[in-house]
Amino acid sequence: WSLNSCPRHKPKFTKYNIGSKHVLVKYKMNYIWTTYKWNSIITSRYPQENKGTYIPVPVVSELQSGKWGAKVIMREDRSVRLSVQSSPACIVGKFRMYVAVWTPYGVIRTSRNPETDTYILFNPWCEGKGLINAKDDEGVIVGSWDNAYAYGVPPSAWTGSVDILLEYKSSQKPVRYGQCWVFAGVFNTFLRCLGIPARIVTNYFSAHDNDANLQLDIFLEEDGNVNSKLTKDSVCSVTGKTQRWGTHTLLPLCGSGMYRCGPASVQAIKHGHVCFQFDAPFVFAEVNSDLVYITAKKDGTHVVETLDTTHIGKLIVTKEIGGDGIKDITDTYKFQEGQEEERLALETALMYGAKKALKTEGVLKSRSDVHMNFDVENAVLGRDLKVVITFRNNGSTRYTVAAYLSGNISFYTGVSKAEFKSETFDVTLEPLSFKREEVLIGAGEYMGQLLEQAFLHFFVTARVNETRDVLAKQKSIALTVPKVIIKVRGAQVVGSDMVVTVEFTNPLNETLRNVWIRLDGPGVTKPLRKMFREIRPKSTVQWEELCRPWVSGPRKLIASLTSDSLRHVYGELDLQIQRRPSM
């Protein structure tokens, strides 16, 4: 007999998700189906069963969790309907589908038909699918935010996703360590490898609403100091998320269980529809919550003093296409600050909030014409710096102000580690006057306690004595750190050797110990690293490597440096690799 003379069996449904249990495949037969044995076959172009590219799908009486199988759910005349279940371990991609039938005359299999090609899609909510976070499902990366990275690599040392994924593949164990931008970067690479369009989104001044009331509550003592016992919320200086194209755009960084974020609809976030799954309330608060300053009175009462409606979600960006610049996408996630739509979105979110927010409608507007702001000048690692607080009296009344400044070493998540500066001062403001107060901070006051990201968090409160108005501002400052210098000599041509030099000068007055320098350049060099036991103050180290590019076009080299006392040091160099001349 000829295969072409046999009846054609055409599946009517050929797209389904990994782990799906509700997909129907229908086959029309010219024989009575009860006289034959059935089997579905899913295969790639060059199939091998041991590599997962050839998959026999048995017809079984009951589907077993985590295993391939097909179950008959309907018999009708010359048709049979099957429910097909895939394995979470299945390779994501395009497969060819065939149906094999055991008959008294031998095995009959359908011929090649592109219309029945099956697309196995990635399913981030499949419980058998470990993803990026290792906390509860042995995913790729172990997270750590305590500035201690024993037996692992500090998050700031990674130069790209490739090194992390290769280590995970070779060791079959989660890689140590990562933080938000590392999770986002690896997940972005992961999605793009699956053919899912994705990009990294960065939110500056991102709120961590830990009590689920969709606003950031900062509790103050009566003297203006922050009450750390009552204040549970924090403001992350910068946070990274992965966005993919589709209805739910913020995807999770881990698998099933409690350690995850997303997916959450961007449109739901923008309009305050936090009733939608999965993490819309948390993400909404990250980008569009109000900062509420509350005085905790000694008698136990709480008084809402002032609001800051513009501090959270100052800027939301992604990388521009075809360059290293940033693209402002703030208006994708939130309406412009101050617009009626933006306030409506917040009111809608508060209506759906999991916990009742503190009422802020009755907060009185300032009864004085005093305004306050501050800036940090000369914020360079290892040097003295200056906090400049400015007061402006726009009215015709003389005012006196009692002010308080607090400087804290903070994690980039906004959580404070230790206070290194505390200062109070009084200011007298004549009518229609401007006054500037300066607070000097020596390098020795903060250097000994500095954390990985070199963030200093300053908080300034002031009370106008005549009106009892409270003014409050807070800012996180990233100290400027030295850079790694990368140089190249030799022809920048595919297949030709060139020498890459990595150079670093220690600008600090202390010796750096256990220094690791990493170098990476996709298409130019595989990930490399070198250790220096110490780098003395003001001294320079150099490291040379011979590289042979294998990809032409615009390329980039990136280097990172990490040590016991200095991290988050980077350098990069753009290259234009030419094609090898034809002979």
Side-chain angles (χ1 to χ4, degrees):
W1 51 270
S2 168
L3 181 62
N4 292 331
S5 65
C6 293
R8 302 293 295 269
H9 320 294
K10 299 182 179 180
K12 299 298 184 183
F13 189 99
T14 58
K15 275 189 183 178
Y16 48 96
N17 292 333
I18 288 183
S20 172
K21 298 182 180 179
H22 305 286
V23 177
L24 305 179
V25 181
K26 185 177 180 181
Y27 305 94
K28 291 186 177 180
M29 300 292 297
N30 289 332
Y31 298 107
I32 302 299
W33 77 271
T34 52
T35 58
Y36 307 109
K37 294 181 181 179
W38 292 73
N39 199 6
S40 299
I41 300 171
I42 299 177
T43 180
S44 66
R45 188 175 180 183
Y46 302 106
Q48 285 185 262
E49 190 169 355
N50 63 340
K51 293 185 176 180
T53 54
Y54 177 87
I55 306 168
V57 182
V59 178
V60 295
S61 57
E62 292 295 333
L63 298 174
Q64 297 183 31
S65 178
K67 293 185 178 181
W68 278 99
K71 180 181 178 181
V72 176
I73 60 173
M74 187 193 75
R75 310 170 185 176
E76 183 179 319
D77 193 20
R78 297 181 180 180
S79 299
V80 62
R81 188 181 294 265
L82 304 175
S83 176
V84 179
Q85 175 181 275
S86 54
S87 164
C90 178
I91 298 171
V92 171
K94 179 180 177 181
F95 288 79
R96 299 175 177 180
M97 177 174 278
Y98 302 89
V99 175
V101 184
W102 278 257
T103 76
Y105 311 102
V107 177
I108 304 174
R109 195 187 80 167
T110 54
S111 59
R112 172 80 176 101
N113 182 5
E115 293 182 2
T116 65
D117 286 347
T118 299
Y119 292 83
I120 304 296
L121 304 181
F122 174 68
N123 179 6
W125 297 104
C126 174
E127 293 187 0
K129 198 75 179 179
L131 295 178
I132 305 302
N133 195 316
K135 188 69 176 180
D136 57 354
D137 55 15
E138 292 299 297
V140 178
I141 306 169
V142 177
S144 178
W145 287 264
D146 59 5
N147 208 52
Y149 308 113
Y151 310 109
V153 176
S156 60
W158 299 112
T159 54
S161 303
V162 173
D163 211 8
I164 296 172
L165 293 171
L166 287 176
E167 183 175 332
Y168 180 69
K169 173 66 176 176
S170 62
S171 68
Q172 297 294 303
K173 294 180 180 179
V175 178
R176 303 171 184 265
Y177 291 98
Q179 291 175 4
C180 72
W181 72 92
V182 182
F183 287 106
V186 173
F187 196 38
N188 193 62
T189 299
F190 180 78
L191 292 175
R192 289 182 176 184
C193 287
L194 297 178
I196 301 173
R199 63 183 181 181
I200 295 174
V201 173
T202 300
N203 179 36
Y204 290 93
F205 299 107
S206 183
H208 281 192
D209 176 26
N210 292 317
D211 59 3
N213 67 353
L214 300 180
Q215 62 188 28
L216 272 289
D217 303 319
I218 307 297
F219 288 88
L220 309 175
E221 304 285 3
E222 290 190 65
D223 63 0
N225 194 3
V226 176
N227 186 318
S228 57
K229 186 176 181 180
L230 293 178
T231 301
K232 303 301 181 183
D233 298 336
S234 61
V235 181
C236 182
S237 300
V238 59
T239 190
K241 292 284 188 293
T242 302
Q243 185 185 39
R244 63 100 168 156
W245 188 263
T247 305
H248 290 109
T249 55
L250 284 179
L251 281 178
L253 301 183
C254 53
S256 60
M258 63 182 294
Y259 297 95
R260 65 177 178 230
C261 178
S265 165
V266 169
Q267 283 299 307
I269 294 166
K270 183 171 183 176
H271 292 274
H273 295 164
V274 298
C275 52
F276 285 88
Q277 293 181 318
F278 285 89
D279 287 306
F282 185 81
V283 178
F284 175 86
E286 281 189 305
V287 302
N288 204 23
S289 54
D290 284 345
L291 205 55
V292 183
Y293 292 96
I294 307 156
T295 296
K297 299 284 189 179
K298 292 180 180 178
D299 62 6
T301 60
H302 293 165
V303 178
V304 178
E305 298 283 5
T306 186
L307 301 177
D308 189 338
T309 61
T310 63
H311 185 79
I312 301 302
K314 283 277 190 185
L315 180 65
I316 304 174
V317 301
T318 191
K319 180 181 174 294
E320 69 176 2
I321 297 175
D324 290 336
I326 62 174
K327 181 180 180 181
D328 186 345
I329 57 171
T330 309
D331 61 355
T332 304
Y333 286 83
K334 58 193 292 189
F335 293 102
Q336 187 175 346
E337 293 287 358
Q339 285 186 343
E340 184 178 347
E341 294 91 341
E342 186 266 339
R343 289 291 93 186
L344 179 60
L346 180 60
E347 291 170 8
T348 303
L350 290 174
M351 180 177 66
Y352 289 117
K355 181 180 177 182
K356 189 175 182 180
L358 286 170
K359 290 185 178 180
T360 58
E361 299 89 346
V363 179
L364 294 175
K365 292 187 178 294
S366 176
R367 288 157 290 190
S368 67
D369 294 308
V370 176
H371 302 276
M372 179 194 72
N373 203 353
F374 76 91
D375 288 298
V376 181
E377 298 180 355
N378 307 319
V380 178
L381 181 70
R383 298 183 187 176
D384 298 346
L385 55 90
K386 182 169 33 178
V387 180
V388 179
I389 306 103
T390 56
F391 296 88
R392 184 182 298 276
N393 181 3
N394 293 329
S396 57
T397 304
R398 180 177 182 269
Y399 292 109
T400 58
V401 178
Y404 169 81
L405 176 142
S406 173
N408 295 267
I409 303 293
S410 73
F411 296 90
Y412 84 97
T413 56
V415 177
S416 294
K417 174 193 176 188
E419 185 179 60
F420 66 86
K421 190 72 172 182
S422 175
E423 190 159 321
T424 59
F425 51 94
D426 296 317
V427 179
T428 300
L429 295 170
E430 299 297 334
L432 301 174
S433 67
F434 173 88
K435 201 154 191 179
R436 171 185 170 114
E437 293 288 330
E438 296 182 356
V439 178
L440 298 177
I441 297 173
E445 295 183 71
Y446 66 82
M447 281 297 293
Q449 305 179 72
L450 208 59
L451 295 169
E452 177 174 8
Q453 286 87 12
F455 274 114
L456 304 181
H457 183 265
F458 292 97
F459 188 86
V460 179
T461 59
R463 185 180 294 275
V464 181
N465 295 322
E466 289 75 12
T467 63
R468 308 307 293 171
D469 285 343
V470 172
L471 311 173
K473 291 285 184 180
Q474 59 175 302
K475 291 182 181 180
S476 287
I477 304 297
L479 296 170
T480 301
V481 297
K483 292 186 178 295
V484 176
I485 305 300
I486 305 175
K487 303 175 183 177
V488 170
R489 51 178 209 274
Q492 298 180 25
V493 179
V494 170
S496 297
D497 290 340
M498 65 181 189
V499 177
V500 177
T501 303
V502 181
E503 181 180 293
F504 177 75
T505 300
N506 178 11
L508 304 181
N509 294 320
E510 63 178 90
T511 298
L512 302 179
R513 291 184 170 83
N514 298 317
V515 181
W516 282 97
I517 299 179
R518 283 174 163 79
L519 175 67
D520 197 0
V524 178
T525 179
K526 63 181 182 180
L528 303 167
R529 61 182 179 177
K530 185 175 179 64
M531 182 185 183
F532 296 87
R533 293 197 177 275
E534 64 177 29
I535 305 177
R536 296 185 178 278
K538 313 303 180 185
S539 65
T540 300
V541 295
Q542 285 189 338
W543 167 33
E544 289 190 348
E545 284 288 343
L546 193 65
C547 299
R548 182 176 297 172
W550 63 90
V551 178
S552 62
R555 300 281 98 192
K556 184 185 290 290
L557 291 171
I558 183 169
S560 71
L561 178 144
T562 183
S563 69
D564 290 345
S565 56
L566 178 63
R567 296 170 184 155
H568 261 271
V569 180
Y570 302 100
E572 61 181 51
L573 179 66
D574 290 319
L575 303 175
Q576 186 65 42
I577 305 298
Q578 305 298 321
R579 293 182 179 180
R580 183 185 304 196
S582 56
M583 301 300 292

